[in-house]
Amino acid sequence: VYGAQHPPLDSRLTKNFIKDRSKASGLPMKSKKASSFHEFARSTSDAWDIGDDEDEDFSSSSSSSLQTLNSKVAKATAAQVLENHSKLRVKPERCQAALGELPTNCKVIKSSSEAQLSRTSEEACVRSPLQKQQSLPLRPVIPLVARISDQNASGAPPMTVREKTRLEKFRQLLSSHNTDLDELRKCSWPGVPREVRPVTWRLLSGYLPANSERRKLTLQRKREEYFGFIQQYYDSRNEEHHQDTYRQIHIDIPRTNPLIPLFQQPLVQEIFERILFIWAIRHPASGYVQGINDLVTPFFVVFLSEHVEEDVENFDVTNLSQDVLRSIEADSFWCMSKLLDGIQVSLWGHRNSLPSLGWQCVKCAVSEQVHNHFRKYEVEYLQFAFRWMNNLLMRELPLRCTIRLWDTYQSEPEGFSHFHLYVCAAFLIKWRKEILDEEDFQGLLMLLQNLPTIHWGNEEIGLLLAEAYRLKYMFADAPNHYRR
């Protein structure tokens, strides 16, 4: 399950398909449902598990993975696919009629994410008789990262009069001799304009000093210090006692945003490999933890956008000079290090449990009806909220939304640790209706691990943050709520 990087699964089609097949086979539905998390885990294949062990023989690994595959479901699925293709060939006018009103001068798709979503919308015309009026509403197609990461999903203009005024306010703050960081945080809470986001993030993360005269020398010194670490430690990745760390990093890097071409470029993957390995070497107490690779991506995209005018999603980084790439790499390393230093104890230090505050905040925030619904179908909060908290919702949201979310996180005191808990609680409240519509354990887990957020933009993130702030105001100074 990729999460927000894939178009959402339509749970209605999935349930109807399972019901139809269960009737045809004559087996009761209960025998095909997972009644517990362990059964669900055994019956679900994780795409990340494929190819993890490079030393094992392919034939043995493939045969063992196929043992969990239900042959009847596989055959039924194949038959359904063939049937759909045959119908499409015989009656192509079904799609033609649906698309007949489109103008002849169609929009050119500029990004891989648009192509992915376009294919999804084209296939939807074949499945439309099944969905009828229950199909998902049409939303504008926007890239996963892109220059319009500051654009609302509702299609609002990228720069309004109010936004121009805010941009000018940022420029005044940043150009002053000593930047007022408190005022900068206040201005950044509702979002940072793209044009000033790189320098604002460097300041808010504590990487750059507030004094404008010291910034150039600080950047030069810290970048030289990072590449000094590269010369000193990077060759040790081939040593035996670092093999486990390097191997896990090498496995995780290709998994980073697999649908965005930018992160599949060899040069970008080499940059990520160096950043993660040096961080692991300098933090031996915790070492590298799977998922840290995701936390580099927002910083990398933001600092890359400082040198790229067009959409960064498909940008070829080989077009940049070596000095620019070195600057982006070093800045991404230091800002990620600052972030992890602030959340290691509160979130990353708990590998087998959630922080107690997070548990209680989520439980208090959801309605009693949702809480009882989880209990009825034996769904534990740990089974979905652990990833939400440990990965800072990066698997649940498109990258453009994560960047906007981090504007606020860097503006809040302990934003990545304390305030993030309330954002997770607000995120759960957002899906209350969809959760109550699911009536079995497997459906709930599939929903919670693959929420339909691919069309989200600033509008939705703004509402999410407003709800999180309300929860913080209610619960942060009222500890007795947690004892209910």
Side-chain angles (χ1 to χ4, degrees):
V1 175
Y2 289 109
Q5 307 304 336
H6 269 308
L9 297 175
D10 195 329
S11 58
R12 298 181 293 275
L13 290 178
T14 306
K15 290 198 291 186
N16 292 337
F17 177 75
I18 293 176
K19 290 178 181 178
D20 293 342
R21 294 300 167 189
S22 63
K23 291 178 182 178
S25 61
L27 293 175
M29 192 63 191
K30 289 183 179 179
S31 63
K32 292 193 176 183
K33 285 184 182 177
S35 59
S36 68
F37 180 72
H38 294 293
E39 292 180 22
F40 171 73
R42 286 196 301 269
S43 63
T44 305
S45 176
D46 186 358
W48 292 141
D49 292 338
I50 300 174
D52 276 8
D53 197 344
E54 299 172 352
D55 300 328
E56 291 185 4
D57 182 69
F58 174 77
S59 60
S60 61
S61 63
S62 60
S63 61
S64 61
S65 64
L66 290 175
Q67 289 177 358
T68 60
L69 200 61
N70 189 317
S71 59
K72 292 183 179 180
V73 173
K75 290 178 181 178
T77 305
Q80 184 71 23
V81 171
L82 292 174
E83 183 181 352
N84 287 341
H85 278 283
S86 63
K87 289 180 180 179
L88 184 61
R89 286 183 179 177
V90 175
K91 297 182 179 181
E93 62 273 9
R94 292 174 63 185
C95 281
Q96 294 295 334
L99 301 174
E101 298 180 0
L102 291 177
T104 56
N105 186 16
C106 295
K107 184 185 73 170
V108 178
I109 296 175
K110 296 183 179 179
S111 66
S112 61
S113 59
E114 289 190 67
Q116 176 81 8
L117 293 174
S118 297
R119 288 195 298 270
T120 306
S121 61
E122 289 170 4
E123 292 168 3
C125 68
V126 181
R127 297 194 300 265
S128 58
L130 294 176
Q131 297 181 13
K132 295 183 179 178
Q133 296 180 353
Q134 298 180 359
S135 59
L136 295 172
L138 294 176
R139 300 296 299 275
V141 175
I142 53 181
L144 295 174
V145 187
R147 182 175 179 175
I148 57 172
S149 58
D150 288 334
Q151 180 179 347
N152 289 332
S154 59
M159 183 68 75
T160 62
V161 175
R162 181 183 178 187
E163 288 170 340
K164 289 180 180 179
T165 305
R166 292 188 66 245
L167 178 59
E168 186 60 31
K169 173 68 173 177
F170 271 95
R171 285 175 172 162
Q172 290 177 2
L173 281 169
L174 297 173
S175 61
S176 60
H177 181 69
N178 283 297
T179 300
D180 186 342
L181 294 181
D182 290 335
E183 186 65 23
L184 185 63
R185 290 188 184 96
K186 182 179 178 181
C187 292
S188 300
W189 207 100
V192 181
R194 179 185 187 271
E195 292 81 357
V196 294
R197 182 176 276 138
V199 64
T200 301
W201 276 27
R202 291 187 186 104
L203 285 165
L204 294 181
S205 65
Y207 176 44
L208 277 186
N211 188 300
S212 59
E213 294 180 355
R214 295 173 49 206
R215 291 174 193 169
K216 186 176 180 180
L217 289 176
T218 300
L219 282 176
Q220 182 180 351
R221 177 175 56 83
K222 297 298 285 185
R223 288 166 181 172
E224 290 176 355
E225 184 179 356
Y226 168 73
F227 283 99
F229 294 150
I230 295 290
Q231 293 178 355
Q232 184 176 357
Y233 298 117
Y234 191 57
D235 288 340
S236 67
R237 68 189 185 280
N238 298 316
E239 297 177 4
E240 185 176 354
H241 59 286
H242 290 150
Q243 279 298 295
D244 289 342
T245 297
Y246 179 71
R247 179 178 176 276
Q248 186 60 54
I249 292 173
H250 199 67
I251 289 172
D252 287 349
I253 288 176
R255 301 172 175 175
T256 305
N257 295 290
L259 292 183
I260 302 179
L262 171 69
F263 298 106
Q264 305 311 309
Q265 298 177 37
L267 187 55
V268 174
Q269 294 188 353
E270 290 174 11
I271 290 173
F272 275 54
E273 186 177 286
R274 288 194 292 269
I275 290 174
L276 295 173
F277 185 77
I278 296 302
W279 187 89
I281 292 296
R282 297 188 73 246
H283 296 80
S286 60
Y288 175 77
V289 177
Q290 189 174 9
I292 295 182
N293 56 304
D294 289 328
L295 304 184
V296 185
T297 57
F299 292 115
F300 184 82
V301 168
V302 168
F303 298 142
L304 176 63
S305 67
E306 194 173 18
H307 307 278
V308 178
E309 290 296 327
E310 65 267 26
D311 295 346
V312 302
E313 184 174 323
N314 294 296
F315 181 77
D316 185 359
V317 296
T318 58
N319 295 327
L320 296 175
S321 68
Q322 187 67 24
D323 288 341
V324 168
L325 286 174
R326 286 168 64 91
S327 300
I328 294 172
E329 178 177 347
D331 293 354
S332 299
F333 169 81
W334 287 114
C335 288
M336 184 204 71
S337 299
K338 293 285 186 181
L339 185 156
L340 288 175
D341 289 346
I343 67 174
Q344 251 187 310
V345 175
S346 57
L347 292 181
W348 287 89
H350 300 262
R351 300 305 302 161
N352 299 314
S353 64
L354 294 174
S356 58
L357 176 61
W359 272 104
Q360 300 303 330
C361 174
V362 171
K363 289 181 179 179
C364 291
V366 301
S367 65
E368 186 176 357
Q369 189 178 10
V370 171
H371 185 69
N372 292 335
H373 193 68
F374 283 154
R375 293 185 62 182
K376 178 180 179 181
Y377 296 106
E378 300 180 359
V379 173
E380 299 290 340
Y381 290 90
L382 182 66
Q383 293 161 358
F384 61 89
F386 181 78
R387 190 175 79 175
W388 292 9
M389 293 186 181
N390 249 26
N391 290 84
L392 300 177
L393 288 175
M394 288 201 62
R395 299 286 178 90
E396 280 60 47
L397 298 172
L399 187 52
R400 62 177 178 273
C401 294
T402 298
I403 291 172
R404 166 62 190 92
L405 191 66
W406 284 22
D407 288 342
T408 300
Y409 280 0
Q410 296 194 84
S411 308
E412 276 279 326
E414 299 181 326
F416 288 98
S417 53
H418 186 71
F419 187 67
H420 175 66
L421 303 176
Y422 298 103
V423 173
C424 288
F427 192 63
L428 184 60
I429 294 173
K430 171 70 177 69
W431 307 107
R432 177 182 178 278
K433 181 180 181 300
E434 289 81 357
I435 288 170
L436 295 176
D437 286 343
E438 295 293 339
E439 297 179 351
D440 61 80
F441 176 86
Q442 183 168 334
L444 281 166
L445 260 292
M446 290 298 290
L447 170 69
L448 292 166
Q449 293 181 0
N450 196 44
L451 290 162
T453 61
I454 194 168
H455 290 288
W456 276 30
N458 282 3
E459 220 174 280
E460 288 80 0
I461 295 299
L463 293 173
L464 182 70
L465 289 168
E467 176 65 14
Y469 188 82
R470 184 186 70 85
L471 293 174
K472 178 187 175 184
Y473 184 80
M474 288 176 59
F475 294 112
D477 297 322
N480 288 333
H481 281 84
Y482 300 132
R483 301 190 180 98
R484 289 190 306 180

